[in-house]
């Protein structure tokens, strides 16, 4: 697996991706000794109803409290996932001796069930209201804000709905500031030279900045 593909219609925009080396996984035949991590912003997917309505309905969801976990808890979680994978294989596919023989769909189903079940049994969790919003680190909060700014600007430039020219002009004037903030967050990032004309090239430029 060299990349994570995200559908353009996926409601949670991708923020960034990076490769994490995992020496402890070197003996596992099902990976390439690295983990590809992608962060998505799901804040726009929660609490789509009014907060008062959500409070009235008392809707809740479960969050895992993984921020301050120690290595022994992660090891227990890893062992629990491995045991669940072995149990899944023995219970549902006794004639198969290796997970690699499963189809991609069945393998994903097994991984999803094992990871979620292992997390519930091993990691601390909390039931929270649907109005609860996870507190991100300041740098990630700023990155989310920049991503949303680029999304709004792209929408106004590409939608068939009428937009006020003054709003677009104001956002274009704010774009250099947003790119400067992006540079302060990404050490290897260099603000490219761009032009707002022609529109097709400018839209392509904005999308390239979102895909960093």
């Amino acid at each position: 697996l060299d990349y994570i593909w995200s559908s353009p219609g996926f409601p949670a925009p991708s923020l960034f991706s990076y490769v994490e080396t995992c020496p402890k996984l070197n003996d596992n035949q099902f990976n390439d000794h690295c983990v590809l991590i992608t962060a998505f912003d799901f804040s726009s997917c929660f609490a789509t109803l009014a907060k008062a309505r959500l409070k009235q309905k008392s809707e809740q969801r479960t969050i895992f409290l993984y921020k301050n976990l120690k290595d022994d808890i992660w090891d227990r979680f890893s062992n629990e996932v491995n045991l669940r994978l072995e149990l899944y294989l023995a219970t549902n596919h006794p004639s198969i001796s290796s997970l690699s023989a499963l189809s991609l769909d069945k393998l994903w189903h097994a991984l999803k069930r094992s990871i979620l079940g292992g997390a519930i049994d091993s990691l601390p969790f909390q039931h929270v209201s649907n109005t609860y919003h996870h507190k991100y680190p300041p740098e990630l909060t700023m990155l989310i804000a920049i991503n949303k700014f680029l999304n709004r600007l792209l929408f106004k430039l590409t939608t068939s709905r009428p937009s006020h020219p003054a709003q677009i002009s104001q956002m274009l004037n704010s774009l250099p500031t947003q790119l400067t903030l992006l540079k302060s967050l990404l050490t290897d990032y260099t603000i490219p030279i761009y032009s707002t004309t022609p529109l097709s090239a400018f839209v392509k430029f904005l999308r390239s900045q979102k895909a960093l």
Side-chain angles (χ1 to χ4, degrees):
L1 180 64
D2 297 318
Y3 60 89
I4 295 177
W5 182 84
S6 175
S7 168
F10 191 58
S14 172
L15 297 175
F16 60 85
S17 299
Y18 67 94
V19 176
E20 180 75 21
T21 57
C22 299
K24 292 184 179 180
L25 299 179
N26 285 344
D27 296 330
N28 193 318
Q29 58 179 320
F30 300 118
N31 69 77
D32 59 359
H33 315 303
C34 294
V35 174
L36 180 59
I37 297 176
T38 296
F40 292 91
D41 174 23
F42 285 92
S43 61
S44 60
C45 301
F46 298 128
T48 54
L49 298 177
K51 288 188 176 182
R53 177 61 175 164
L54 286 170
K55 186 175 182 180
Q56 182 183 25
K57 290 165 64 69
S58 299
E59 292 184 352
Q60 291 188 327
R61 69 179 190 272
T62 300
I63 61 172
F64 292 100
L65 309 176
Y66 54 84
K67 185 176 181 180
N68 297 316
L69 294 184
K70 302 294 180 63
D71 287 345
D72 60 326
I73 299 180
W74 282 119
D75 290 339
R76 186 165 73 244
F77 165 69
S78 177
N79 293 333
E80 181 66 28
V81 172
N82 288 335
L83 289 174
R84 286 174 175 271
L85 283 172
E86 293 174 1
L87 179 62
Y88 174 86
L89 193 63
T91 304
N92 296 279
H93 305 282
S95 61
I96 297 178
S97 59
S98 172
L99 287 169
S100 61
L102 295 177
S103 67
L104 185 60
D105 285 344
K106 290 181 178 179
L107 181 58
W108 167 243
H109 179 69
L111 285 171
K112 183 175 65 173
R113 287 186 56 181
S114 300
I115 291 174
L116 182 58
I120 292 174
D121 283 351
S122 306
L123 304 181
F125 61 88
Q126 179 182 356
H127 298 298
V128 298
S129 167
N130 258 351
T131 58
Y132 171 87
H133 288 284
H134 180 75
K135 293 182 179 179
Y136 297 104
E139 296 81 4
L140 189 54
T141 300
M142 189 181 300
L143 192 60
I144 291 173
I146 295 171
N147 186 273
K148 288 183 176 180
F149 171 85
L150 294 174
N151 275 338
R152 291 196 303 271
L153 181 54
L154 277 168
F155 176 78
K156 289 183 178 297
L157 292 175
T158 58
T159 184
S160 57
R161 299 177 183 178
S163 298
H164 294 291
Q167 292 179 342
I168 296 179
S169 177
Q170 185 178 18
M171 296 187 75
L172 291 177
N173 290 335
S174 299
L175 181 59
T177 301
Q178 298 294 325
L179 295 179
T180 301
L181 290 174
L182 187 60
K183 178 176 173 57
S184 69
L185 296 172
L186 306 176
T187 55
D188 296 333
Y189 174 71
T190 301
I191 300 177
I193 299 174
Y194 65 91
S195 173
T196 57
T197 57
L199 179 60
S200 58
F202 183 53
V203 168
K204 185 177 180 180
F205 161 75
L206 292 175
R207 286 174 175 159
S208 70
Q209 301 310 290
K210 276 178 50 62
L212 291 174

